[in-house]
Amino acid sequence: MASKWFETVAVAQRRAEKRLPRSVYGALIAGSEKGLSSKDNLDSFDQLGFAPHIAGLSSDRQMATTIMGQSLSMPVIISPTGVQAVHPEGEVAVGRAAANRGVAMGLSSFASKSVEDVCAVNNQVFFQMYWSGDRDTMVQRLERAKAAGAKGIILTLDWSFSNGRDWGSPWIPEKINFTNALKLAPEALSRPRWLWSFAKTGHMPDLTTPNMAPIGTKPPTFFGAYYEWMQSMLPSWDDVAWLRAQWDGPFMVKGLSRIDDAKRVVDLGATTLSVSNHGGNNLDGTPAPIRSLAAIADAVGDQIEVVLDGGVRRGSDVVKALALGARAVMIGRAYLWGLAANGQAGVENVLDVLRSGIDSTLLGLGKSSISELSRDDVVAPPNFFRKLGE
Ligand SMILES: Cc1cc2nc3c(=O)[nH]c(=O)nc-3n(C[C@H](O)[C@H](O)[C@H](O)COP(=O)(O)O)c2cc1C
């Protein structure tokens, strides 16, 4: 039998494409509108090069760090991703893999598994929230996450409810009932391994969001949860400061592109911010985070932990982000491809690929630790960087 191990994230992605039904794969690729931002997230990393050394290299290379009070074996965090019909064990498999590899995990409030189930397998979970529901509802979600054992909160703010994709969004049913199952049957039947992985558990993906309802009540469907979010008041900066004050612990604001927003996030007392454009799924035309990172890190990096997410597919991408001022990166699609390709072992495989890529990049750059990285290690073309806001 062919080995299930893969040597790069790109190989995992090809396997995911073969294994997942077309609509599930399409929902992961996503990218809003024309896909300018999602393309730029990948292209921008390709435009950066390195300035390597060839002798006097270090045989000992250190990549452990801390984020939001958690020790990580390497500067990588699982980014929250919602509604996974990728694998029956979903976020629980991801949580186990992350725990086995010593990295923290962001769990989406739109996840398919409950915060209790994921915290039971991973004691470094950050619970992610959108600005959805009224204040009481949000406080209940914080309290539930705290009781489950979440170590921090990620508040994701970069969503503009843009819809429509030039390549045609996949059809996602409200729920899997008999009629919808029949509609999906042709594509599901063409992916027997995916179908069997769910069939053996006796359940098809139910597309519900258990973290969006109090424990013991019926969870809303993804569309139900999305509707609540769409109907919610848009937050002011005072609202965001209010929510931050409700959580006594590490608090990340995710989705920044601008320096002025970063300063506000510092002022409201967040511990961490993520320079991110939601993997290119939000306002199309937002530059790749790696372009905006350095200006934000220069402005606020001594006052708050700065992380980056968007486009990270290799260990060398992680090193580029660190050299440009990030303390760590978050990964989204990379681990979803691993999960699709080989479940928990596939996510571990992705994390191992990144670890070994970070290590070999540090070797090539002559570094003994990620703390020695600086901008001089990276070669950027003219006009690469973006400085948004003041
Ligand atoms: C399928 C999918 C679902 C996502 N769901 C969420 C979510 O529920 N909450 C959130 O904060 N970000 C969500 N994101 C964004 C990721 O957390 C992250 O910002 C993005 O995937 C990073 O880009 P990358 O996929 O290139 O690594 C999602 C991304 C994808 C691809």
Side-chain angles (χ1 to χ4, degrees):
M1 205 176 98
S3 165
K4 290 185 170 175
W5 179 83
F6 43 82
E7 62 191 291
T8 65
V9 172
V11 176
Q13 179 171 352
R14 284 202 294 277
R15 290 195 191 161
E17 186 170 13
K18 276 198 200 138
R19 203 176 165 117
L20 294 173
R22 201 163 25 91
S23 56
V24 177
Y25 182 76
L28 303 188
I29 284 274
S32 55
E33 309 230 333
K34 196 174 181 186
L36 298 171
S37 294
S38 57
K39 182 171 183 303
D40 194 38
N41 286 2
L42 297 174
D43 292 351
S44 54
F45 272 111
D46 292 348
Q47 289 165 20
L48 293 174
F50 287 113
H53 289 284
I54 53 164
L57 306 178
S58 177
S59 53
D60 183 31
R61 293 169 298 275
Q62 198 281 120
M63 64 177 89
T65 190
T66 59
I67 280 284
M68 294 173 77
Q70 298 301 308
S71 299
L72 312 183
S73 67
M74 62 174 163
V76 174
I77 304 163
I78 298 290
S79 208
T81 57
V83 260
Q84 294 168 18
V86 174
H87 188 275
E89 287 188 317
E91 296 84 356
V92 171
V94 177
R96 281 201 202 101
N100 287 346
R101 294 301 185 263
V103 304
M105 169 170 182
L107 177 71
S108 171
S109 52
F110 282 11
S112 63
K113 302 291 180 201
S114 72
V115 62
E116 291 77 19
D117 287 352
V118 177
C119 286
V121 299
N122 186 314
N123 67 7
Q124 296 189 301
V125 170
F126 307 136
F127 183 65
Q128 179 266 328
M129 292 172 59
Y130 290 114
W131 197 271
S132 179
D134 59 19
R135 285 189 169 197
D136 288 349
T137 308
M138 280 189 274
V139 168
Q140 279 163 20
R141 288 182 185 139
L142 289 179
E143 285 169 353
R144 178 175 169 186
K146 178 74 98 190
K151 299 296 189 305
I153 292 295
I154 300 175
L155 175 66
T156 304
L157 289 178
D158 63 336
W159 197 260
S160 53
F161 300 99
S162 69
N163 51 37
R165 301 180 179 118
D166 289 3
W167 50 273
S169 298
W171 176 66
I172 303 175
E174 168 82 21
K175 56 183 168 197
I176 307 280
N177 54 22
F178 183 70
T179 323
N180 289 338
L182 271 186
K183 270 200 222 167
L184 286 170
E187 58 166 303
L189 287 171
S190 72
R191 295 293 188 266
R193 281 179 301 185
W194 175 87
L195 194 57
W196 176 237
S197 72
F198 278 94
K200 340 190 247 216
T201 69
H203 301 282
M204 291 314 282
D206 70 358
L207 307 179
T208 57
T209 53
N211 297 307
M212 293 296 281
I215 305 178
T217 61
K218 195 168 178 276
T221 60
F222 167 72
F223 288 105
Y226 196 82
Y227 184 76
E228 177 198 283
W229 182 20
M230 281 179 79
Q231 298 304 308
S232 304
M233 294 285 287
L234 296 168
S236 65
W237 284 108
D238 285 346
D239 290 326
V240 179
W242 166 82
L243 188 72
R244 196 282 168 263
Q246 307 307 306
W247 177 263
D248 175 21
F251 190 96
M252 177 194 295
V253 178
K254 172 172 179 281
L256 283 93
S257 292
R258 299 178 55 105
I259 296 169
D260 42 5
D261 283 0
K263 288 180 177 167
R264 287 191 181 262
V265 167
V266 170
D267 289 346
L268 60 85
T271 46
T272 312
L273 65 81
S274 184
V275 184
S276 164
N277 62 14
H278 217 111
N281 296 334
N282 180 40
L283 183 63
D284 201 25
T286 309
I290 193 72
R291 297 188 190 278
S292 318
L293 170 68
I296 292 179
D298 283 347
V300 298
D302 56 344
Q303 300 163 69
I304 192 167
E305 293 174 341
V306 175
V307 306
L308 166 140
D309 70 83
V312 174
R313 301 289 184 273
R314 301 171 192 282
S316 58
D317 294 341
V318 180
V319 172
K320 288 171 184 174
L322 267 55
L324 294 176
R327 189 174 174 88
V329 303
M330 302 208 288
I331 55 166
R333 293 179 184 83
Y335 77 83
L336 292 173
W337 305 142
L339 182 66
N342 195 19
Q344 177 186 331
V347 179
E348 290 168 357
N349 193 156
V350 163
L351 293 171
D352 293 343
V353 164
L354 295 180
R355 185 186 306 279
S356 106
I358 297 169
D359 186 61
S360 59
T361 310
L362 290 177
L363 172 64
L365 293 174
K367 307 290 175 190
S368 63
S369 165
I370 51 172
S371 63
E372 294 170 8
L373 290 166
S374 77
R375 283 188 204 163
D376 295 342
D377 298 314
V378 171
V379 186
N383 304 321
F384 178 84
F385 295 105
R386 299 285 180 276
K387 186 173 177 215
L388 309 184
E390 283 299 327

